[in-house]
Amino acid sequence: MKKSILLGVATACALNATVVSEISSMDDISKSGWVFVSSVSQDTTKIVQEVKQEKEVKPAPTKEFSDEAKKWLRLAPVPAPSNNKVTPQRIELGKFLYFDTRLSIDDTVSCATCHNPDMGWSDQQTKAVGVGGAVGPRNSPTIINSAYQYHQFWDGRVRTLEDQALGPIEADVEMNLSLDVLIPKLKGIGEYVTLFEKAYPGEGITEDTLARAIASFERTVVSTEAPFDKFIKGDKLAISTVAQEGFELFKAKGHCTDCHDGFNFSDGSFHNLGLGDGDEGRVKVRRGVTKLFGAMKTPTLRDVTKSWPYFHDGSVKTLHEATAICGNGGRFADAKGLSSFIVDRGLTPKEIDKIVEFMKTLEGEPMKLTIPTVFPK
Amino acid sequence: MKILKIAIPLLLTVCVATAAEFEVVQKGKLFEPTAIDAKVGDVIKFKNADPFAHNAFSEDGENEFDIGMQAPGEDYTITLKAAGTINVECAIHPSMQLKITVN
């Protein structure tokens, strides 16, 4: 609630301001009332080039990396559907929409409220908090690398970022604004009309172009180079010896890679960790597959140090506890639908600490991003 | 009449013989093969060779299907009902993708 009010105040102030006020931490928010802003302009051209590489430009040569290294590095261009290729205009429009609290019923909540760039693109809350302090059923997942995922949401109920974008706007515990109201509202903002025309010429402001624009910005939220990436490329001093030992445990005794595999440290699959909270998870989406009871999508571990608390119920505050649950048989060994991958591996507290040290090395350099403070009028 | 007694069984034999069966092995969280060219009436047999559960489903029109939960070692077969492209996926492991082109 407090954060929503602060974001709303910040936006109201921003509409009359032309100067970005830079805040270095959430502590400063209580003093100034402004939303956290990162410095430096967003380098959108790099993302556009990555997408273009799929069709026009050959991928960057990977011969210099070993097969082992290629497995762990983000080498593939950011995927984008043929009807929504990324352009700077679409990113710009999508960014305004993503941070604009006018997309909620009381002008206090935006996508960024729950997916905050300063909080690992999550919100560091147990469950998502929407308009009026409404508490949602699940923890806000990070959106880092979501463009690479096969499905969106914890239960994978939609496939693409375009399919995902509008749900939270209408959800009553999130932004609670009907699209029947929002679309005319946006059409009444002249500068949005101009931005939509630049991004989607001739298509106007519709639910489809709204979703595609937000998805275009979300496509730019990708992991940056982390100490682990430098290590895997050959810099053996990039991470500590303890972290290196943790990586070996991660792959071997811990069996973490059964689910947290590849550059995104996620197999995109659905597993039940035995948390015992009663959430049916993906089985509500695919009723015939009883194995999916309580199963949730494996989240990425990129920037995992920032996106606490953990799991779909936000019940775990530390990586140590999260690792212990995953690695030592789940919270409840007799939980209905417990994944066959969740087995007691006998990890000791010291071994878990080493795995945690390794996971810390997945925190990348801060993403270059300028958050709008003056929105379309 | 004698000709019909020969022709009809022969015709039926030819029709049955043209329905092919394709085996798709589910192993290492992958479908193998990942693409099949088939005909209407052909049969696809999904064979779970992994030590954990799998699934296969498609939401494509007349060929929509869902085999439900498939335990390790279990086989399931489906028959292709209509021409078109079928995108098959495992509901548990979305990395498992198979494209069937039905002529």
Side-chain angles (χ1 to χ4, degrees), chain B residues 4-80:
Chain B
L4 281 175
K5 282 184 183 174
I6 296 169
I8 290 172
L10 184 61
L11 186 62
L12 287 171
T13 303
V14 170
C15 289
V16 168
T18 57
E21 180 175 291
F22 296 87
E23 183 173 271
V24 176
V25 177
Q26 296 145 294
K27 187 166 176 61
K29 292 192 225 173
L30 291 170
F31 286 123
E32 171 56 40
T34 57
I36 293 173
D37 286 325
K39 296 187 186 61
V40 174
D42 285 349
V43 170
I44 308 292
K45 179 177 167 184
F46 293 95
K47 187 180 180 62
N48 187 355
D50 264 333
F52 40 82
H54 277 310
N55 161 266
F57 78 94
S58 171
E59 296 173 323
D60 291 313
E62 289 180 67
N63 285 307
E64 182 178 354
F65 73 89
D66 189 332
I67 70 172
M69 198 181 98
Q70 184 188 14
E74 274 190 353
D75 296 343
Y76 273 89
T77 59
I78 60 147
T79 302
L80 302 174

Side-chain angles (χ1 to χ4, degrees), chain A residues 150-151 159 257-259 261 267-271 282 285-292 295 340-341, chain B residues 29 51-55 57-59 65-70 89-97:
Chain A
Y150 299 104
H151 295 89
R159 291 179 189 276
T257 50
D258 285 355
C259 304
D261 201 11
D267 59 357
S269 299
F270 299 87
H271 306 285
R282 186 151 171 82
V285 180
R286 305 287 338 162
R287 281 280 177 207
V289 190
T290 54
K291 187 64 186 168
L292 288 173
S340 54
F341 290 117
Chain B
K29 292 192 225 173
F52 40 82
H54 277 310
N55 161 266
F57 78 94
S58 171
E59 296 173 323
F65 73 89
D66 189 332
I67 70 172
M69 198 181 98
Q70 184 188 14
E89 186 178 301
C90 172
I92 307 170
H93 314 102
S95 58
M96 298 174 71
Q97 312 236 326

Side-chain angles (χ1 to χ4, degrees), chain A residues 7-283:
Chain A
L7 280 169
V9 167
T11 303
C13 294
L15 289 171
N16 295 316
T18 55
V19 176
V20 169
S21 177
E22 294 203 0
I23 309 294
S24 60
S25 73
M26 287 296 284
D27 288 341
D28 290 342
I29 287 180
S30 60
K31 296 174 196 168
S32 70
W34 286 82
V35 174
F36 171 80
V37 176
S38 296
S39 60
V40 188
S41 298
Q42 181 179 20
D43 185 6
T44 59
T45 52
K46 186 168 178 234
I47 300 297
V48 174
Q49 281 168 0
E50 282 191 20
V51 174
K52 277 189 175 179
Q53 273 177 1
E54 271 186 296
K55 282 177 100 173
E56 299 168 10
V57 178
K58 286 182 185 172
T62 58
K63 279 190 246 180
E64 67 266 32
F65 301 133
S66 65
D67 288 343
E68 169 72 4
K70 285 177 205 171
K71 179 181 173 180
W72 301 107
L73 297 171
R74 187 175 70 82
L75 299 173
V78 179
S82 56
N83 73 336
N84 198 27
K85 287 300 183 187
V86 174
T87 66
Q89 294 79 14
R90 291 174 179 182
I91 293 173
E92 184 192 17
L93 170 60
K95 186 164 69 169
F96 276 125
L97 293 165
Y98 185 90
F99 288 96
D100 196 336
T101 57
R102 290 175 296 177
L103 271 63
S104 61
I105 194 168
D106 60 357
D107 294 350
T108 64
V109 174
S110 70
C111 305
T113 303
C114 297
H115 303 285
N116 187 324
D118 191 38
M119 299 177 181
W121 298 90
S122 178
D123 59 10
Q124 296 175 354
Q125 303 282 320
T126 301
K127 302 276 173 72
V129 178
V131 295
V135 179
R138 295 176 181 151
N139 176 265
S140 302
T142 180
I143 66 166
I144 290 174
N145 292 337
S146 53
Y148 290 94
Q149 293 273 8
Y150 299 104
H151 295 89
Q152 309 300 328
F153 294 116
W154 280 108
D155 55 14
R157 61 186 179 270
V158 301
R159 291 179 189 276
T160 68
L161 292 176
E162 285 76 3
D163 292 336
Q164 181 277 336
L166 303 185
I169 294 174
E170 293 202 291
D172 56 2
V173 294
E174 298 186 57
M175 296 157 81
N176 197 21
L177 183 59
S178 166
L179 295 173
D180 290 340
V181 174
L182 176 59
I183 300 298
K185 184 177 182 181
L186 291 173
K187 287 180 178 177
I189 301 172
E191 289 179 346
Y192 263 132
V193 175
T194 303
L195 285 167
F196 269 89
E197 181 59 24
K198 283 183 183 174
Y200 299 100
E203 294 190 58
I205 301 179
T206 65
E207 291 180 19
D208 179 56
T209 51
L210 174 62
R212 286 156 66 198
I214 294 174
S216 293
F217 170 69
E218 289 175 337
R219 258 180 197 104
T220 69
V221 182
V222 296
S223 51
T224 56
E225 186 170 60
F228 168 76
D229 297 310
K230 295 175 184 173
F231 167 74
I232 213 73
K233 285 179 186 175
D235 180 356
K236 297 305 174 192
L237 299 179
I239 67 176
S240 68
T241 307
V242 172
Q244 292 179 40
E245 291 170 4
F247 183 42
E248 292 308 312
L249 286 165
F250 186 87
K251 291 185 291 182
K253 183 178 180 183
H255 280 261
C256 308
T257 50
D258 285 355
C259 304
H260 293 285
D261 201 11
F263 87 89
N264 200 26
F265 290 87
S266 165
D267 59 357
S269 299
F270 299 87
H271 306 285
N272 181 335
L273 306 182
L275 300 182
D277 67 321
D279 192 327
E280 293 185 336
R282 186 151 171 82
V283 80

